[in-house]
Amino acid sequence: MSSNVNDWLNDHGDYLYRFALARLKDTHQAEDAVQETMLAAIKNNSFEGDSSIRTWLTGILKHKIIDIQRKLIREQPISDIIDLDASDESMDDFFDKTGHWLDKPQSFDMPDHALEQSQFLSVLDACMQKLPKKLKAIFMLRDVHEMENENICKELDITPTNAWVMLYRARMGLRKCLEMNWVKG
């Protein structure tokens, strides 16, 4: 593998594209993610050789994929959610004077699913309680509250590498606990 910046796309482009496509499920978004990864790598070439170039580029790509997914969620057009032409109500009918929803979202009318979800949440909560305090905290901050890794590191006073290791351990601990207590084989 070449360490020349000009060869990165030839050496790793196909791998990065497949990686992005597997997660984004959209060819255009996958191409954009790889392109943004290459631009970020070239602009801020901070590669120090501590890992392989592919690993470093994949790390950048993961962040670009998350950025794209967040952007898609944030920028969902209101017309995709409701048909404005068919609606007799204005958007103001849904909110109070403070801008909060007048009616809370309704739960689905499927008792067996509600019971199943309730049982799952109980098991998940029990599994969360079994995690060490810091692992539980990092899982909640990252996966539930979707806090940026940099902010998590500041809050927990840990390094980014330590954060990823702790998050991995938290996820694996929860997975193992859920497999033992929830997932039926």
Side-chain angles (χ1 to χ4, degrees):
M1 296 290 164
S2 173
S3 63
N4 185 349
V5 172
N6 297 325
D7 296 333
W8 287 352
L9 186 58
N10 291 333
D11 293 344
H12 309 289
D14 290 341
Y15 169 80
L16 295 173
Y17 175 75
R18 287 191 308 271
F19 186 91
L21 185 60
R23 280 137 186 93
L24 293 169
K25 313 287 187 213
D26 182 287
T27 56
H28 298 293
Q29 291 173 353
E31 290 170 358
D32 288 346
V34 172
Q35 184 178 10
E36 288 181 26
T37 298
M38 290 299 175
L39 286 174
I42 292 169
K43 281 183 181 176
N44 302 316
N45 187 353
S46 60
F47 182 69
E48 296 177 358
D50 295 337
S51 61
S52 72
I53 292 172
R54 179 172 287 185
T55 301
W56 179 65
L57 290 171
T58 304
I60 295 171
L61 178 61
K62 288 178 182 176
H63 291 283
K64 297 299 177 189
I65 290 171
I66 290 170
D67 290 345
I68 288 172
Q69 290 172 332
R70 285 187 179 151
K71 183 179 176 186
L72 290 172
I73 291 169
R74 278 194 314 262
E75 296 180 357
Q76 185 177 11
I78 192 75
S79 60
D80 287 354
I81 300 170
I82 59 172
D83 183 5
L84 294 175
D85 296 333
S87 176
D88 292 335
E89 302 171 323
S90 75
M91 291 301 292
D92 294 336
D93 295 338
F94 296 111
F95 301 98
D96 63 14
K97 292 178 182 175
T98 62
H100 292 95
W101 287 96
L102 287 174
D103 296 322
K104 292 182 179 179
Q106 297 177 353
S107 61
F108 294 107
D109 293 332
M110 294 180 279
D112 53 339
H113 290 249
L115 176 62
E116 193 171 291
Q117 184 178 14
S118 172
Q119 291 171 341
F120 172 78
L121 292 175
S122 295
V123 172
L124 178 63
D125 186 53
C127 289
M128 292 283 292
Q129 298 306 321
K130 292 178 184 175
L131 287 176
K133 193 174 182 178
K134 272 198 163 184
L135 294 184
K136 178 183 171 186
I138 197 166
F139 180 83
M140 292 296 292
L141 292 172
R142 180 68 185 174
D143 289 342
V144 176
H145 300 296
E146 298 180 347
M147 186 182 276
E148 292 293 327
N149 199 41
E150 183 177 318
N151 296 333
I152 293 171
C153 291
K154 287 178 186 172
E155 186 155 320
L156 299 178
D157 193 28
I158 56 177
T159 65
T161 303
N162 195 15
W164 288 114
V165 170
M166 290 172 62
L167 185 59
Y168 175 80
R169 289 180 180 163
R171 289 173 177 163
M172 289 300 108
L174 283 174
R175 178 180 174 180
K176 184 177 180 182
C177 183
L178 288 171
E179 285 175 347
M180 289 175 23
N181 298 298
W182 177 250
V183 179
K184 297 166 185 134

